[in-house]
Amino acid sequence: MMTPVHVLVLGGTTEARRLAEHLVARDSGVRVTTSLAGRVAAPRLPPGEVRIGGFGGPDGLAAWAREHGVDALVDATHPFAATMSRNAAEAAALAHVPLLALRRPGWVAQDGDRWHSTGSLAGAAELLPALGERVFLTTGRMGLAAFAGAALDDLWFLVRSVDAPEPPGPARMEVLLDRGPFTLEGEREIIRRHRVDVLVTKDSGGDATAPKLAAAREAGIPVVVVRRPPVPEGVPVARTPDEAVEWVVRKLHASG
């Protein structure tokens, strides 16, 4: 009997979960393990095997891949998980395992959008005083320290995240615990009820959190968009879970 091809998916995204679902449903000689960082208190678990926790850097990931007979590695982490993506690239090279990055396409500005692009959370913080006073901050619970400076003490922040953020954070803020997907009507109501006059978001792409962009467009408020970091050089990219499945199938055939 042929040994199943072992695919390790670095997960935590909708695309990672869908990839695992597709691969498990194929039932065609593929063993799937999804690794989750463990930063979310109650993650939605994908089918197949699941491990939770870090690897201890690229050396630890490479050692795990060798020990567990990983044949292919898919980096389907969040587009802003730059450290994990770098570790995956280094580990794949060390373990001599093929690597694919699964990245949903980024958002594209539409007519009526008032976007201000920046390369970091610190850059976003610098832009805010000139753009508004009541900020809808949707960049997650990590990195709030960038908005904790005295220069922003006059601004009010509505911070939305899945789990409660830890200090330091903005001097004046309200926390909204929620998990997407979000609706356009819901985002309109948040902007109206909290009198939001500027939105801050990362270019995470996808449909689950895109309604806030449409709501901001309708309200005519500016949006600070933090650009996503690039995929490590030389790593092929799939834009959808289906494309990633095709890549895995090609590896399956090559190994057979």
Side-chain angles (χ1 to χ4, degrees), residues 1 45 49 69 75 79 83 96 115 121 175 192 255:
M1 180 180 296
L45 299 181
E49 302 173 39
D75 171 17
T83 299
H96 304 290
W115 285 13
L121 293 177
V175 175
R192 184 198 64 78
S255 66

Side-chain angles (χ1 to χ4, degrees), residues 10-60:
L10 304 179
T13 60
T14 300
E15 288 74 20
R17 191 168 61 254
R18 289 176 180 166
L19 174 59
E21 290 169 353
H22 293 343
L23 291 174
V24 169
R26 289 182 64 89
D27 190 25
S28 57
V30 179
R31 172 190 170 197
V32 183
T33 300
T34 300
S35 177
L36 303 176
R39 291 176 180 165
V40 176
R44 297 172 180 171
L45 299 181
E49 302 173 39
V50 177
R51 70 172 302 279
I52 296 178
F55 291 96
D59 290 336

